[in-house]
Amino acid sequence: MTVTRPLQSEMAAWDGFFAAKESAVIAGTSKCREKRRSRGIMIITLKDGSKKEYDHAMSVIDIASDISEGLARMACAGEMDGQAVDLRTVVDSDCELSILTFQDEGGKAAFRHTASHIMAQAIKRLYPDAKLAIGPSVSDGFYYDIDREIPLTAEDLEKIEAEMKKIVKEGLPLERFELPREEAIAFMKEKEEPYKVELIEDLPKDAVISFYRQGEFTDLCAGPHLMTTKPVKAFKLTSLAGAYWRGSEKNKMLTRIYGTAFTKKADLEEHLARIEEAKKRDHRKLGKELGLFMMRDEGPGFPFFLPKGMVLKNTLLDYWREIHTKAGYVEISTPIMLSRHLWETSGHWDHYKENMYTTVIDEQDFAIKPMNCPGGILAYQSEPRSYRDLPLRMGELGLVHRHEKSGQLHGLMRVRCFTQDDAHIFMTPDQIRDEIKGVASLIDQVYSLFGFKYHVELSTRPEDSMGSDEDWEMATEALRGALDDLGLDYVVNEGDGAFYGPKIDFHLEDSIGRTWQCGTIQLDFQLPLRFELEYIGADGEKHRPIMIHRVAFGSIERFIGILIEHFAGAFPTWLSPIQVRVLAISDKYMDYGKKVLAELQEAGIRADMDTRAEKIGYKIREARLEKIPYMLVVGAKEEEEGLVSVRSRFLGDEGQKDLGGFITAIKEEIKSREIREVKAEEQK
C-alpha cells in the first residue's frame, strides 16, 4: 500500500466538504422560503437564456422533467444562481437554473459522489466493523477513507465491486433528510461512526446537518446526489493508498480506496486504457530508462539532469532564445538571492513567504527568489527610460526555488527548484492589447510546434489581492479585450488570478488527452506602482509603465516531463539527445562505422556508435528501446559502395542510402523541427 501524504488536493477536498455544508444551508431553507412566498409567477431562466414560468414551487428534477423527460433521465444535479444544488432542491423564486448532466463538471461530481456512497454501502455490508471517514468526488473519480482494524487490501476490491453491482441493480432511491445538531451526533454515535461525529462537532453551530439514505445505509452528506443508485453502472475501483485522517500526519492512517465511474461502459474502458497508457508514459520511469534525469533522497524535489537530459534541456533553451530574439526580446540574468526589503516591496514577503527559502547574511534577511519579476524590475530601473524604449521585452531563464510540501512532489512535474522561462514586458497603456496579442501568438507558436492543442482561461481577482478596484477592472478588461480581438475562445476562472493582477492561462492537451497548465500572461499595474517605475512620455512628463509577466514553457523541468509523456520518450529528431546510432554488423566493419560516425558528427548531428561485441539484432533492439530516431547499419556492401542501411522509428527499414544524401535529409528534418509520425510497433 502506498502512503498518501497531506496533499493540496486533499485539503481542497476538506474545504469543499465544508463549503458544501454551507450550500446545504441554502438548499435546506427552501421550504421556509416557500411558506413565506406569496402566490404569483415564478420565472426560471435556463442555461440557453430561455425562460420558464410556474405558479408554484418546483423541485429541480420536476423542472427538468417539464423541459424534457430525456433531460430528467440524464440529470445528475442542478446549478441555481451559480450554486450547485441537489435535484431534490425546491425552487420557489425567480432564479437562473441549469440542469447538470454527466457532461457538466458539476453533474459528473454528483454522479461520482453517488458512486462513493454506493462503495461505502458495499463496504459496510461486507465489513460491518469498518468506520467511514469522508468520500468525495475528485477530478477523475472518487475515493472513500476507511478505518478498519484489519486493513482492506487489493484482494478486497473485487468483492466490493461485486457488492456495488448488487446495490446498483437494486435501484435504491437516495433520500435526503436533516437533523438538529445533537440528534445528528447521537445518530452517528449510535451507528458507531466516530469520524462522522467529529465532522458534525466541527461544523458551525448554525449549519444545516443533512444526511442521505439509500436502503439500509445512511451517510452524513451535503450532496448533491443522483435520485437513485440505478444509473451508476460503469465503475471500477482502481487503487488503494494510505491517507492520514484530515490530512495530518499526527492523526491515524486510514485506507483510501480510489475508484472512477462513467455513464457508459465504453467511456469507462477508454478511461482505464488511458490510465494504462499513462503508466507506460510515466516520465519518472522513462526518465530513468532513457538516462535523462534522476531524483535523490539527498535533494528531495531538486532534480539532477544527466548528460542526455542536459542535451534535451539545452536544445529547448536554444529554441527559446531563437524565437524570443526574433520577437524582439532581450535576455537578462538576475541574482538567485536578494534582500528581504525587495520582497517586502514586491509583496511576496507578505503573500508568499511560506513558500520561500530564507537566510541571514551579515544580520540581514535574504530570500532565494521564488520568482524572477523583482529582479527584472531592478533591471528596468538600471537606466532612465523613455516612451521610445517601450515596449521593452526582457526575457530571463531564471532558476527559482519554492518550498513545496514533500507530499506534493512528483518527478519533474512538481519540484522545489526549476528554471522559469520568464519575460517581463514594460509598456504604455496604449500598447497593452498589441503586446498581449504578441505573447499569445508566441505561445501558440510553441504549442503548435509540439503538436499540442490548448484551451484558454481568464482568471480574475482573488480574495488575497492588492490594488484598487479600478486598476483590477482596467487590467481584467484589457486581457478580455485582447482575447476578444484575437477571436480566442476562453472561459472565465473567477478568483484565480495572481495577487497582483488578472491572468490568462493556457492549458495544453497532450497526446492521450490530459491537460496541463503551462503558458500564462499576467497583467500587472501593482508592481510598477510599488517600485515607483517611470518613463518619460512624449509630453516630457514622468509616467508609470504597465507590466506583463509571462511564460511560454512555464517551468522548463515540468515542460520536459510533459514532453517525455507526450512523446512517450520518442522525441522528434531535433530534440532527441542521440539522433543517430551507427551499428557495425561485425568488428571487421568497425573502422568504416567510425568513419560514418565522424562524418555525422562533423555535420553537427548528435550521433554515437555501439561498439559492444553483441549481435546486430541485439544492438538494433537496444537502440529501439532507447528510442533513437535513426540507426545506420554498416557491413560489407555498405563499405564497398560508400552507403549506409537506414532503419528509423518512422518507417522501419528504409533501405540503403548514400551517406551524403542521408545527412542532407536529416539536417533538413532537424532544421525544420519536423515531427514525424512514429511507427506503431516503435511506440511499444
Side-chain angles (χ1 to χ4, degrees):
M1 181 188 297
T2 57
V3 175
T4 301
R5 295 187 181 277
L7 299 177
Q8 188 173 3
S9 59
E10 182 174 339
M11 299 312 295
W14 280 107
D15 292 341
F17 180 88
F18 290 111
K21 292 299 177 188
E22 294 179 12
S23 71
V25 176
I26 298 171
T29 56
S30 61
K31 292 181 181 179
C32 297
R33 291 202 307 269
E34 185 176 354
K35 292 178 181 178
R36 295 196 304 267
R37 182 178 177 272
S38 60
R39 295 182 62 84
I41 298 298
M42 179 173 69
I43 301 174
I44 307 299
T45 304
L46 302 176
K47 183 163 53 176
D48 62 1
S50 63
K51 299 182 186 298
K52 302 283 287 185
E53 295 185 357
Y54 301 100
D55 61 1
H56 59 281
M58 299 270 283
S59 68
V60 174
I61 190 64
D62 287 340
I63 294 172
S65 296
D66 185 57
I67 297 169
S68 159
E69 287 299 327
L71 178 62
R73 284 194 299 272
M74 295 188 296
C76 298
E79 185 176 271
M80 187 165 64
D81 292 333
Q83 176 71 52
V85 295
D86 198 90
L87 292 170
R88 302 155 191 79
T89 300
V90 175
V91 182
D92 62 357
S93 59
D94 296 352
C95 69
E96 294 182 359
L97 179 67
S98 295
I99 307 299
L100 303 180
T101 70
F102 193 79
Q103 302 306 311
D104 304 294
E105 288 304 313
K108 205 177 265 102
F111 188 95
R112 289 171 171 166
H113 195 177
T114 302
S116 78
H117 276 223
I118 294 171
M119 178 173 73
Q121 183 177 14
I123 290 169
K124 292 296 286 186
R125 284 183 177 182
L126 294 169
Y127 314 102
D129 62 322
K131 309 302 179 188
L132 302 178
I134 64 166
S137 64
V138 289
S139 60
D140 59 355
F142 59 89
Y143 69 79
Y144 219 115
D145 288 346
I146 307 294
D147 184 13
R148 187 167 180 253
E149 188 173 340
I150 302 173
L152 296 172
T153 65
E155 288 70 34
D156 293 305
L157 298 188
E158 190 174 334
K159 298 176 187 176
I160 297 169
E161 280 186 2
E163 192 63 36
M164 289 174 69
K165 289 176 182 176
K166 292 180 184 178
I167 294 168
V168 169
K169 192 172 182 180
E170 291 169 20
L172 301 174
L174 277 81
E175 303 168 291
R176 183 183 184 278
F177 66 92
E178 300 168 6
L179 288 176
R181 185 186 192 85
E182 294 307 316
E183 287 185 35
I185 292 173
F187 182 64
M188 280 299 162
K189 281 184 177 179
E190 183 182 349
K191 287 185 171 291
E192 298 182 350
E193 295 288 0
Y195 298 102
K196 302 295 183 180
V197 171
E198 184 177 330
L199 290 173
I200 296 170
E201 290 174 339
D202 286 349
L203 289 173
K205 290 186 177 180
D206 58 349
V208 173
I209 302 171
S210 60
F211 297 83
Y212 279 83
R213 177 170 49 230
Q214 57 197 56
E216 82 289 352
F217 176 74
T218 301
D219 201 357
L220 171 72
C221 188
H225 280 287
L226 303 182
M227 298 300 290
T228 78
T229 61
K230 190 174 181 180
V232 189
K233 295 179 180 178
F235 59 84
K236 180 70 178 175
L237 303 186
T238 54
S239 63
L240 288 167
Y244 294 106
W245 167 235
R246 307 193 89 160
S248 172
E249 295 179 6
K250 297 178 181 178
N251 292 334
K252 187 173 184 180
M253 175 74 73
L254 307 178
T255 299
R256 175 168 296 177
I257 304 178
Y258 284 99
T260 191
F262 291 82
T263 56
K264 299 176 184 177
K265 184 178 179 182
D267 292 340
L268 173 63
E269 290 175 348
E270 181 182 338
H271 174 77
L272 295 176
R274 192 161 54 243
I275 290 175
E276 288 305 309
E277 181 63 25
K279 289 178 182 177
K280 295 176 187 175
R281 293 169 178 259
D282 190 321
H283 76 284
R284 296 166 298 178
K285 171 178 172 287
L286 289 173
K288 182 177 181 179
E289 291 174 358
L290 301 177
L292 301 175
F293 71 93
M294 68 177 183
M295 309 298 292
R296 293 293 299 261
D297 291 341
E298 291 85 349
F302 299 94
F304 290 70
F305 275 89
L306 304 175
K308 291 178 183 177
M310 279 306 298
V311 171
L312 173 60
K313 184 176 182 180
N314 285 331
T315 303
L316 279 173
L317 299 186
D318 289 343
Y319 168 66
W320 185 93
R321 289 189 167 99
E322 177 187 315
I323 60 174
H324 281 77
T325 299
K326 289 179 180 178
Y329 288 77
V330 293
E331 186 176 355
I332 62 170
S333 177
T334 63
I336 199 170
M337 185 186 297
L338 294 163
S339 66
R340 170 177 174 169
H341 78 83
L342 178 77
W343 303 108
E344 288 176 330
T345 303
S346 70
H348 289 91
W349 195 267
D350 293 329
H351 293 267
Y352 205 73
K353 185 175 182 293
E354 68 277 6
N355 292 102
M356 297 167 67
Y357 295 110
T358 61
T359 189
V360 177
I361 302 174
D362 295 335
E363 300 182 355
Q364 183 180 352
D365 290 331
F366 280 78
I368 298 175
K369 65 178 178 180
M371 299 173 185
N372 296 307
C373 29
I377 286 173
L378 296 185
Y380 177 88
Q381 291 177 321
S382 64
E383 60 181 271
R385 305 291 179 180
S386 160
Y387 72 96
R388 292 188 176 90
D389 301 323
L390 307 183
L392 177 59
R393 307 181 188 106
M394 305 175 77
E396 178 174 13
L397 294 164
L399 188 65
V400 300
H401 291 71
R402 298 178 184 178
H403 178 62
E404 303 284 358
K405 293 181 179 178
S406 58
Q408 296 173 325
L409 301 176
H410 179 74
L412 295 178
M413 303 302 193
R414 197 68 177 265
V415 292
R416 289 171 169 161
C417 168
F418 58 94
T419 306
Q420 197 166 41
D421 72 314
D422 262 328
H424 298 99
I425 303 174
F426 302 89
M427 61 200 164
T428 62
D430 61 338
Q431 293 170 337
I432 293 176
R433 286 202 181 190
D434 284 343
E435 288 305 304
I436 292 171
K437 291 178 196 177
V439 174
S441 177
L442 186 143
I443 291 174
D444 176 76
Q445 177 185 347
V446 171
Y447 292 175
S448 298
L449 174 66
F450 297 104
F452 291 124
K453 299 175 184 176
Y454 63 87
H455 72 269
V456 180
E457 291 184 1
L458 171 62
S459 298
T460 60
R461 186 176 190 174
E463 290 186 13
D464 182 20
S465 63
M466 60 184 188
S468 67
D469 293 343
E470 294 78 10
D471 281 349
W472 272 90
E473 183 176 354
M474 184 190 305
T476 304
E477 288 310 306
L479 293 184
R480 194 189 309 271
L483 290 173
D484 291 340
D485 287 349
L486 289 167
L488 286 175
D489 292 330
Y490 61 93
V491 296
V492 177
N493 193 2
E494 297 288 355
D496 201 38
F499 67 83
Y500 49 78
K503 61 178 180 172
I504 297 171
D505 289 326
F506 293 78
H507 297 259
L508 59 84
E509 181 181 324
D510 68 14
S511 59
I512 58 173
R514 298 169 302 179
T515 57
W516 310 88
Q517 193 275 306
C518 290
T520 187
I521 307 172
Q522 299 173 354
L523 191 58
D524 187 356
F525 288 76
Q526 307 307 320
L527 289 185
L529 178 66
R530 293 173 76 93
F531 280 93
E532 300 181 347
L533 300 187
E534 297 175 345
Y535 69 91
I536 303 300
D539 58 2
E541 299 296 323
K542 293 180 179 179
H543 298 270
R544 188 85 64 208
I546 294 162
M547 185 177 181
I548 284 177
H549 308 252
R550 52 109 291 199
V551 293
F553 292 139
S555 154
I556 300 295
E557 286 74 8
R558 184 166 179 262
F559 197 77
I560 288 172
I562 293 169
L563 287 179
I564 292 171
E565 299 194 0
H566 178 60
F567 291 116
F571 301 109
T573 304
W574 73 276
L575 266 182
S576 293
I578 300 172
Q579 294 163 329
V580 180
R581 174 161 291 168
V582 180
L583 305 173
I585 289 176
S586 71
D587 288 349
K588 289 192 297 183
Y589 310 108
M590 201 67 73
D591 288 343
Y592 178 62
K594 290 178 180 178
K595 180 181 176 183
V596 170
L597 176 63
E599 289 192 40
L600 291 168
Q601 293 176 336
E602 180 66 25
I605 298 165
R606 295 192 290 272
D608 69 3
M609 185 173 179
D610 189 338
T611 59
R612 294 176 299 171
E614 299 286 355
K615 292 182 179 180
I616 191 65
Y618 177 83
K619 292 182 179 181
I620 289 172
R621 286 193 296 273
E622 287 286 291
R624 284 181 58 191
L625 289 173
E626 292 182 46
K627 303 182 186 294
I628 295 170
Y630 292 95
M631 291 167 270
L632 300 186
V633 181
V634 296
K637 188 173 181 181
E638 287 80 15
E639 182 175 22
E640 182 180 338
E641 299 180 14
L643 302 174
V644 289
S645 289
V646 180
R647 295 184 63 91
S648 73
R649 281 203 322 248
F650 318 109
L651 299 175
D653 188 352
E654 297 190 20
Q656 291 182 328
K657 294 185 180 181
D658 172 72
L659 178 59
F662 171 80
I663 289 175
T664 299
I666 192 175
K667 286 181 68 176
E668 181 55 37
E669 182 183 335
I670 293 167
K671 181 180 178 182
S672 66
R673 300 189 174 96
E674 180 185 356
I675 298 179
R676 298 183 66 185
E677 186 175 346
V678 177
K679 199 174 180 182
E681 65 185 61
E682 300 289 343
Q683 294 177 334
K684 296 178 180 177

